[in-house]
Amino acid sequence: MTISDTRNEMTVDEAITNGLKQFSEEDLFLIYDEVLRFITINRDRNARHSPKDLLNIDGYQEFKEIRNEITKILKNFRLISRIERVFINVKRRKEFSVPLNHLHAIKNDKRLCRFTFNYIKNMNKNGNPKFYINNNPYMQINNLIMSENIVISHRFSIRIKDSQKIFVSKIKNLNNEKNLNNKDFNEWAYTYLINNNSEFRDIDYYPVNKKERSDLIISFLDYLYSFKNEGYKTLTNNLYRAWTQKKFRDSNKTNKNSSSQIPKDVQKKLKEISKKINRTEEEILSELISDKYRELMINRS
Protein backbone atom coordinates (compact mmCIF):
# COMPACT_ATOMS: atom_id res chain seq x y z
CA MET A 1 0.00 0.00 0.00
CA THR A 2 1.38 3.41 -0.96
CA ILE A 3 1.42 6.57 1.16
CA SER A 4 -1.27 7.95 -1.13
CA ASP A 5 -3.47 4.90 -0.50
CA THR A 6 -2.98 5.26 3.28
CA ARG A 7 -3.97 8.92 3.11
CA ASN A 8 -7.11 8.10 1.13
CA GLU A 9 -8.18 5.63 3.79
CA MET A 10 -7.54 8.12 6.59
CA THR A 11 -10.42 10.30 7.76
CA VAL A 12 -10.16 13.96 8.69
CA ASP A 13 -10.72 13.08 12.35
CA GLU A 14 -7.88 10.55 12.26
CA ALA A 15 -5.56 13.03 10.59
CA ILE A 16 -6.24 15.56 13.34
CA THR A 17 -5.86 12.99 16.12
CA ASN A 18 -2.60 11.61 14.69
CA GLY A 19 -1.24 15.10 14.17
CA LEU A 20 -2.00 16.27 17.71
CA LYS A 21 -0.37 13.16 19.18
CA GLN A 22 3.00 14.42 17.96
CA PHE A 23 2.89 17.48 20.22
CA SER A 24 2.74 18.34 23.90
CA GLU A 25 -0.02 20.45 25.39
CA GLU A 26 2.43 23.35 25.62
CA ASP A 27 2.65 23.22 21.81
CA LEU A 28 -1.09 23.82 21.46
CA PHE A 29 -0.64 27.58 21.39
CA LEU A 30 1.90 27.21 18.59
CA ILE A 31 -0.50 24.95 16.68
CA TYR A 32 -3.34 27.39 17.22
CA ASP A 33 -1.24 30.27 15.92
CA GLU A 34 -0.24 28.22 12.88
CA VAL A 35 -3.89 27.45 12.15
CA LEU A 36 -4.63 31.18 12.17
CA ARG A 37 -1.68 31.83 9.87
CA PHE A 38 -2.85 29.11 7.48
CA ILE A 39 -6.35 30.58 7.32
CA THR A 40 -5.00 34.08 6.71
CA ILE A 41 -2.47 33.08 4.06
CA ASN A 42 -4.85 30.84 2.17
CA ARG A 43 -7.84 33.11 2.75
CA ASP A 44 -9.88 30.01 3.29
CA ARG A 45 -13.44 31.05 2.49
CA ASN A 46 -14.65 27.55 3.21
CA ALA A 47 -13.66 27.79 6.85
CA ARG A 48 -17.00 28.32 8.54
CA HIS A 49 -15.49 28.61 12.01
CA SER A 50 -14.09 32.04 12.88
CA PRO A 51 -11.33 31.46 15.46
CA LYS A 52 -10.23 33.93 18.10
CA ASP A 53 -6.93 35.72 17.77
CA LEU A 54 -4.21 34.12 19.89
CA LEU A 55 -4.09 37.17 22.14
CA ASN A 56 -7.80 36.88 22.88
CA ILE A 57 -7.96 33.29 24.07
CA ASP A 58 -6.57 33.98 27.54
CA GLY A 59 -10.03 33.33 28.97
CA TYR A 60 -9.51 29.58 28.56
CA GLN A 61 -8.72 27.78 31.79
CA GLU A 62 -7.49 24.40 30.54
CA PHE A 63 -5.30 23.13 27.72
CA LYS A 64 -8.09 20.78 26.63
CA GLU A 65 -10.19 23.82 25.73
CA ILE A 66 -7.49 24.93 23.30
CA ARG A 67 -7.25 21.39 21.92
CA ASN A 68 -11.00 21.27 21.35
CA GLU A 69 -10.90 24.64 19.61
CA ILE A 70 -8.07 23.52 17.32
CA THR A 71 -9.92 20.30 16.47
CA LYS A 72 -13.07 22.23 15.62
CA ILE A 73 -11.21 24.60 13.28
CA LEU A 74 -9.19 21.86 11.56
CA LYS A 75 -12.31 19.86 10.82
CA ASN A 76 -13.47 22.77 8.68
CA PHE A 77 -10.32 22.45 6.57
CA ARG A 78 -11.85 19.22 5.20
CA LEU A 79 -8.77 18.27 3.19
CA ILE A 80 -6.29 15.96 4.92
CA SER A 81 -3.42 17.53 2.97
CA ARG A 82 -4.22 20.92 4.50
CA ILE A 83 -4.35 19.48 7.99
CA GLU A 84 -1.03 17.70 7.55
CA ARG A 85 0.54 20.87 6.18
CA VAL A 86 -0.37 22.70 9.41
CA PHE A 87 1.39 20.09 11.54
CA ILE A 88 4.46 20.07 9.26
CA ASN A 89 4.74 23.85 9.60
CA VAL A 90 4.43 23.61 13.38
CA LYS A 91 7.31 21.12 13.52
CA ARG A 92 9.47 23.56 11.57
CA ARG A 93 8.51 26.47 13.80
CA LYS A 94 9.33 24.44 16.91
CA GLU A 95 12.94 24.29 15.81
CA PHE A 96 13.16 28.06 16.33
CA SER A 97 10.79 28.43 19.27
CA VAL A 98 11.89 29.34 22.78
CA PRO A 99 12.97 26.31 24.87
CA LEU A 100 10.86 26.19 28.02
CA ASN A 101 12.41 23.30 29.92
CA HIS A 102 12.97 25.52 32.96
CA LEU A 103 9.25 26.39 32.89
CA HIS A 104 8.08 22.77 32.84
CA ALA A 105 9.58 22.22 36.30
CA ILE A 106 7.15 24.66 37.92
CA LYS A 107 4.06 23.46 36.08
CA ASN A 108 2.28 22.24 39.22
CA ASP A 109 3.35 25.12 41.47
CA LYS A 110 0.56 27.64 40.99
CA ARG A 111 2.05 30.15 43.40
CA LEU A 112 5.36 30.25 41.56
CA CYS A 113 3.61 30.35 38.18
CA ARG A 114 1.49 33.29 39.29
CA PHE A 115 4.56 35.13 40.52
CA THR A 116 6.38 34.37 37.26
CA PHE A 117 3.45 35.61 35.17
CA ASN A 118 3.26 38.85 37.18
CA TYR A 119 7.02 39.24 36.96
CA ILE A 120 7.02 38.91 33.17
CA LYS A 121 4.06 41.24 32.71
CA ASN A 122 5.35 43.95 35.03
CA MET A 123 9.03 44.17 34.13
CA ASN A 124 8.48 47.02 31.66
CA LYS A 125 5.63 48.82 33.42
CA ASN A 126 7.89 51.78 34.30
CA GLY A 127 6.63 52.24 37.83
CA ASN A 128 3.02 51.34 37.10
CA PRO A 129 2.72 47.62 37.93
CA LYS A 130 -0.53 45.67 37.90
CA PHE A 131 -1.53 42.43 39.60
CA TYR A 132 -2.70 39.54 37.39
CA ILE A 133 -4.36 36.32 38.49
CA ASN A 134 -5.76 33.31 36.65
CA ASN A 135 -6.76 29.80 37.67
CA ASN A 136 -4.21 28.30 35.29
CA PRO A 137 -1.17 30.60 35.37
CA TYR A 138 1.10 28.00 33.75
CA MET A 139 -1.11 27.95 30.68
CA GLN A 140 -1.20 31.74 30.64
CA ILE A 141 2.61 31.94 30.65
CA ASN A 142 2.70 29.66 27.61
CA ASN A 143 0.08 31.78 25.88
CA LEU A 144 2.02 34.96 26.68
CA ILE A 145 5.25 33.59 25.25
CA MET A 146 3.72 32.14 22.09
CA SER A 147 1.75 35.31 21.34
CA GLU A 148 4.92 37.42 21.07
CA ASN A 149 7.57 37.61 18.38
CA ILE A 150 10.70 35.50 18.68
CA VAL A 151 12.88 38.31 20.12
CA ILE A 152 10.45 39.17 22.90
CA SER A 153 9.80 35.49 23.58
CA HIS A 154 13.50 34.92 24.24
CA ARG A 155 13.46 37.84 26.67
CA PHE A 156 10.56 36.19 28.44
CA SER A 157 12.59 33.02 28.73
CA ILE A 158 15.30 34.97 30.58
CA ARG A 159 12.72 36.63 32.82
CA ILE A 160 11.23 33.28 33.74
CA LYS A 161 14.62 32.16 35.03
CA ASP A 162 15.08 35.48 36.87
CA SER A 163 11.65 35.17 38.48
CA GLN A 164 12.43 31.67 39.72
CA LYS A 165 15.68 32.87 41.27
CA ILE A 166 13.94 35.78 43.04
CA PHE A 167 11.08 33.59 44.23
CA VAL A 168 13.35 30.93 45.74
CA SER A 169 15.80 33.38 47.34
CA LYS A 170 13.42 36.08 48.62
CA ILE A 171 9.74 35.25 48.42
CA LYS A 172 9.10 31.54 48.94
CA ASN A 173 9.30 31.73 52.74
CA LEU A 174 7.29 34.96 52.95
CA ASN A 175 3.50 35.29 52.99
CA ASN A 176 3.02 31.68 54.00
CA GLU A 177 1.02 32.79 57.03
CA LYS A 178 -0.33 29.57 58.48
CA ASN A 179 -3.37 31.45 59.78
CA LEU A 180 -4.64 31.50 56.20
CA ASN A 181 -5.54 27.86 56.72
CA ASN A 182 -7.81 28.98 59.54
CA LYS A 183 -11.22 29.73 58.07
CA ASP A 184 -11.91 32.63 60.44
CA PHE A 185 -8.65 34.40 59.58
CA ASN A 186 -8.97 33.46 55.92
CA GLU A 187 -12.37 35.12 55.53
CA TRP A 188 -11.48 38.07 57.78
CA ALA A 189 -8.20 38.79 55.93
CA TYR A 190 -9.95 38.72 52.55
CA THR A 191 -12.55 41.23 53.75
CA TYR A 192 -9.87 43.36 55.43
CA LEU A 193 -7.84 43.61 52.21
CA ILE A 194 -10.93 44.55 50.19
CA ASN A 195 -11.75 47.30 52.67
CA ASN A 196 -8.22 48.60 53.10
CA ASN A 197 -6.44 48.21 49.75
CA SER A 198 -7.92 49.68 46.58
CA GLU A 199 -5.78 47.55 44.27
CA PHE A 200 -6.93 44.35 45.97
CA ARG A 201 -10.52 45.58 45.87
CA ASP A 202 -10.32 46.15 42.11
CA ILE A 203 -9.09 42.62 41.28
CA ASP A 204 -11.50 41.02 38.83
CA TYR A 205 -11.38 37.62 40.49
CA TYR A 206 -13.83 36.24 43.02
CA PRO A 207 -12.63 33.29 45.12
CA VAL A 208 -15.40 30.94 46.21
CA ASN A 209 -13.67 28.91 48.92
CA LYS A 210 -10.90 29.01 51.48
CA LYS A 211 -8.23 27.61 49.15
CA GLU A 212 -8.95 30.16 46.42
CA ARG A 213 -8.98 33.02 48.94
CA SER A 214 -5.70 31.85 50.42
CA ASP A 215 -4.04 31.53 46.99
CA LEU A 216 -5.26 34.99 45.99
CA ILE A 217 -4.03 36.68 49.17
CA ILE A 218 -0.61 35.00 49.07
CA SER A 219 -0.12 35.70 45.35
CA PHE A 220 -1.12 39.33 45.84
CA LEU A 221 1.32 39.76 48.73
CA ASP A 222 4.07 38.09 46.64
CA TYR A 223 3.42 40.64 43.91
CA LEU A 224 3.42 43.57 46.36
CA TYR A 225 6.69 42.46 47.93
CA SER A 226 8.39 42.41 44.54
CA PHE A 227 6.92 45.54 42.93
CA LYS A 228 5.60 47.74 45.78
CA ASN A 229 7.76 46.85 48.74
CA GLU A 230 6.90 49.82 50.93
CA GLY A 231 3.22 49.21 50.36
CA TYR A 232 3.79 45.56 51.21
CA LYS A 233 5.41 46.41 54.54
CA THR A 234 2.67 48.83 55.51
CA LEU A 235 -0.17 46.53 54.49
CA THR A 236 1.17 43.39 56.18
CA ASN A 237 2.00 45.30 59.38
CA ASN A 238 -1.52 46.69 59.51
CA LEU A 239 -3.10 43.36 58.56
CA TYR A 240 -1.51 41.29 61.32
CA ARG A 241 -1.81 44.06 63.89
CA ALA A 242 -5.53 44.43 63.16
CA TRP A 243 -5.99 40.67 63.44
CA THR A 244 -4.28 40.54 66.83
CA GLN A 245 -6.43 43.40 68.07
CA LYS A 246 -9.55 41.65 66.80
CA LYS A 247 -8.61 38.47 68.67
CA PHE A 248 -8.21 40.52 71.84
CA ARG A 249 -11.63 42.08 71.38
CA ASP A 250 -13.29 38.76 70.52
CA SER A 251 -11.89 37.12 73.64
CA ASN A 252 -13.80 39.70 75.74
CA LYS A 253 -10.78 40.38 77.87
CA THR A 254 -11.22 43.53 79.86
CA ASN A 255 -8.32 45.69 80.88
CA LYS A 256 -8.51 44.10 84.28
CA ASN A 257 -8.48 40.55 82.97
CA SER A 258 -5.70 41.37 80.54
CA SER A 259 -3.44 42.51 83.32
CA SER A 260 -4.55 40.19 86.11
CA GLN A 261 -1.59 37.88 85.60
CA ILE A 262 0.92 40.69 85.22
CA PRO A 263 3.16 41.55 88.19
CA LYS A 264 2.02 44.63 90.08
CA ASP A 265 5.08 46.71 89.23
CA VAL A 266 4.54 45.98 85.53
CA GLN A 267 0.81 46.77 85.87
CA LYS A 268 1.72 50.14 87.33
CA LYS A 269 4.02 50.91 84.41
CA LEU A 270 1.35 49.80 81.96
CA LYS A 271 -1.20 52.17 83.52
CA GLU A 272 1.29 55.05 83.40
CA ILE A 273 1.97 54.37 79.71
CA SER A 274 -1.78 54.19 79.08
CA LYS A 275 -2.35 57.61 80.62
CA LYS A 276 0.71 59.10 78.94
CA ILE A 277 -0.25 58.14 75.38
CA ASN A 278 -4.03 58.17 75.95
CA ARG A 279 -4.60 54.59 74.85
CA THR A 280 -6.15 51.63 76.66
CA GLU A 281 -4.00 49.00 78.26
CA GLU A 282 -5.61 46.42 75.97
CA GLU A 283 -4.59 48.39 72.88
CA ILE A 284 -1.03 48.72 74.13
CA LEU A 285 -0.71 45.01 74.93
CA SER A 286 -2.30 44.05 71.63
CA GLU A 287 0.10 46.19 69.63
CA LEU A 288 3.17 44.98 71.54
CA ILE A 289 2.20 41.33 71.05
CA SER A 290 1.42 41.88 67.38
CA ASP A 291 4.75 43.59 66.75
CA LYS A 292 6.69 40.90 68.59
CA TYR A 293 4.82 38.15 66.74
CA ARG A 294 5.65 39.73 63.42
CA GLU A 295 9.31 40.12 64.41
CA LEU A 296 9.59 36.45 65.40
CA MET A 297 7.28 34.74 62.91
CA ILE A 298 6.35 36.75 59.85
CA ASN A 299 9.72 38.18 58.91
CA ARG A 300 11.65 34.92 59.21
CA SER A 301 13.09 33.83 55.88
Side-chain angles (χ1 to χ4, degrees):
M1 182 180 293
T2 66
I3 295 177
S4 177
D5 292 332
T6 303
R7 179 177 293 170
N8 289 335
E9 289 184 0
M10 187 186 302
T11 66
V12 166
D13 286 349
E14 288 172 338
I16 295 170
T17 301
N18 292 338
L20 289 173
K21 283 180 180 178
Q22 304 173 62
F23 301 95
S24 67
E25 60 182 10
E26 290 83 6
D27 295 327
L28 289 173
F29 287 108
L30 198 59
I31 298 171
Y32 192 95
D33 189 45
E34 183 59 35
V35 169
L36 294 185
R37 287 168 180 257
F38 193 91
I39 292 174
T40 302
I41 293 172
N42 292 278
R43 299 187 180 184
D44 191 351
R45 297 177 182 177
N46 293 320
R48 291 171 294 178
H49 188 76
S50 180
K52 301 179 184 179
D53 183 87
L54 188 63
L55 289 171
N56 295 323
I57 62 175
D58 58 357
Y60 291 140
Q61 301 296 320
E62 302 292 340
F63 280 107
K64 64 182 179 182
E65 294 177 303
I66 308 296
R67 181 183 292 273
N68 291 340
E69 186 75 5
I70 290 170
T71 300
K72 189 188 301 183
I73 300 169
L74 287 176
K75 282 184 178 181
N76 287 327
F77 281 21
R78 296 176 180 164
L79 296 177
I80 292 175
S81 58
R82 289 184 173 186
I83 295 169
E84 291 178 336
R85 174 53 55 188
V86 167
F87 291 127
I88 290 171
N89 289 346
V90 172
K91 283 185 177 180
R92 290 174 179 168
R93 287 181 62 182
K94 276 199 67 174
E95 296 176 5
F96 302 97
S97 64
V98 181
L100 296 176
N101 294 334
H102 50 287
L103 179 59
H104 296 166
I106 69 170
K107 182 175 183 177
N108 296 318
D109 190 333
K110 279 193 174 183
R111 182 186 175 192
L112 178 48
C113 284
R114 282 182 176 137
F115 177 76
T116 293
F117 185 80
N118 276 279
Y119 187 86
I120 294 172
K121 291 283 285 185
N122 284 300
M123 280 306 296
N124 290 327
K125 286 288 185 178
N126 296 321
N128 188 29
K130 178 182 176 181
F131 176 68
Y132 299 88
I133 186 166
N134 187 281
N135 279 330
N136 196 332
Y138 176 74
M139 192 176 85
Q140 295 307 306
I141 295 172
N142 280 272
N143 180 21
L144 184 64
I145 292 171
M146 292 305 174
S147 62
E148 294 289 355
N149 64 52
I150 192 68
V151 175
I152 295 177
S153 293
H154 275 286
R155 287 188 203 145
F156 284 172
S157 181
I158 295 171
R159 288 175 189 169
I160 289 171
K161 294 177 182 177
D162 290 342
S163 73
Q164 293 174 355
K165 185 187 302 182
I166 292 171
F167 182 85
V168 171
S169 62
K170 296 182 179 180
I171 293 178
K172 184 177 181 180
N173 293 326
L174 289 175
N175 310 323
N176 262 327
E177 173 53 52
K178 61 183 179 181
N179 278 341
L180 282 169
N181 291 320
N182 176 282
K183 186 176 181 180
D184 290 339
F185 178 77
N186 182 286
E187 293 178 352
W188 174 88
Y190 178 71
T191 302
Y192 178 91
L193 290 170
I194 287 177
N195 293 333
N196 291 276
N197 186 278
S198 59
E199 187 172 10
F200 190 86
R201 182 167 54 248
D202 291 339
I203 295 172
D204 187 20
Y205 178 83
Y206 307 96
V208 297
N209 55 46
K210 183 178 72 173
K211 179 67 167 61
E212 288 187 0
R213 281 192 298 270
S214 176
D215 288 347
L216 171 60
I217 292 170
I218 290 173
S219 295
F220 180 72
L221 294 179
D222 289 346
Y223 149 81
L224 277 187
Y225 180 87
S226 185
F227 292 99
K228 298 181 178 181
N229 194 256
E230 287 304 314
Y232 167 84
K233 292 177 182 177
T234 300
L235 183 62
T236 51
N237 275 326
N238 292 340
L239 173 69
Y240 294 115
R241 180 174 293 175
W243 173 248
T244 303
Q245 291 172 347
K246 178 184 183 302
K247 293 297 287 182
F248 263 89
R249 291 193 300 270
D250 292 347
S251 65
N252 293 319
K253 290 183 178 180
T254 63
N255 291 343
K256 181 178 179 180
N257 289 335
S258 298
S259 58
S260 61
Q261 303 299 320
I262 300 176
K264 289 184 178 180
D265 60 326
V266 178
Q267 285 187 38
K268 183 178 179 180
K269 293 176 183 177
L270 181 60
K271 288 180 180 179
E272 291 177 358
I273 294 172
S274 176
K275 291 179 181 179
K276 187 74 173 177
I277 65 176
N278 195 29
R279 297 183 66 180
T280 67
E281 294 174 24
E282 179 183 289
E283 288 175 336
I284 295 169
L285 289 172
S286 175
E287 186 171 320
L288 287 171
I289 293 171
S290 178
D291 289 344
K292 194 62 179 178
Y293 176 81
R294 179 164 183 79
E295 176 187 339
L296 293 175
M297 304 298 293
I298 308 300
N299 287 333
R300 288 191 306 180
S301 59

